[in-house]
Amino acid sequence: MTTQAMKDLARRMRGMDLCMLTTVSSYGRLASRPMSNNGEVEYDGTSYFFTWADSRMARDIGENHHVQLNFRADKGFLFVAVQGEARVLTDRRVMKDHWHDELRQWFKDGLDTEGLVMLVVDAKRIQWWGEDDGHIEL
């Protein structure tokens, strides 16, 4: 991967907050749900999401860490597919760096919300389609 290619992609992805996070379920089927990047706009190949420890996606990731993120630009024509590996973190020190107060609508007690975890997705391959198509292997 070239640093310049990632910088160019990050610039194009700026503002792409919502994505579909797809996990592999315990039955071997794919399960997708909408997630928010929480304003993380300087994409470097790692994405962060907050959820509940007992959520289906956290359980799925515990069994199979392979995931896919699918983004679509609100304006213009850009689709981005991120194939990655996910992990579930409970370390509040790490979570604090990615916390935004808007998340209180789902997690009333902020970082002290019981059962709060953070999903970290490290990209392994990124593909995009738009004005030009491309991919990055990480």
Side-chain angles (χ1 to χ4, degrees):
M1 171 201 67
T2 67
T3 303
Q4 188 59 48
M6 183 57 83
K7 285 181 182 178
D8 290 345
L9 180 61
R11 179 186 49 76
R12 294 175 67 193
M13 288 180 69
R14 192 166 288 128
M16 293 174 109
D17 180 43
L18 300 176
C19 71
M20 292 297 287
L21 170 71
T22 303
T23 58
V24 179
S25 76
S26 58
Y27 298 105
R29 293 193 168 86
L30 300 178
S32 299
R33 73 282 292 157
M35 297 295 289
S36 170
N37 255 341
N38 309 316
E40 301 288 342
V41 295
E42 286 302 318
Y43 187 66
D44 64 358
T46 304
S47 298
Y48 305 90
F49 306 98
F50 287 91
T51 191
W52 302 101
D54 63 354
S55 68
R56 176 64 183 260
M57 74 181 118
R59 290 192 315 268
D60 286 350
I61 290 167
E63 296 292 321
N64 185 327
H65 65 273
H66 296 283
V67 300
Q68 181 151 320
L69 306 175
N70 293 298
F71 294 89
R72 182 185 68 81
D74 289 335
K75 296 179 182 174
F77 182 75
L78 178 63
F79 294 88
V80 179
V82 177
Q83 297 170 12
E85 296 177 357
R87 61 190 186 280
V88 179
L89 292 182
T90 58
D91 185 336
R92 294 294 188 261
R93 293 171 298 161
V94 175
M95 294 165 71
K96 182 178 179 183
D97 292 338
H98 301 282
W99 179 261
H100 296 273
D101 279 334
E102 297 85 25
L103 293 166
R104 286 188 184 274
Q105 63 185 313
W106 294 286
F107 309 106
K108 301 289 186 214
D109 294 325
L111 289 171
D112 295 322
T113 301
E114 184 150 345
L116 178 68
V117 297
M118 186 171 69
L119 305 179
V120 180
V121 178
D122 296 311
K124 298 301 177 191
R125 186 169 203 270
I126 306 170
Q127 292 178 271
W128 63 90
W129 302 266
E131 294 173 8
D132 63 344
D133 301 343
H135 73 279
I136 299 171
E137 301 285 336
L138 297 157

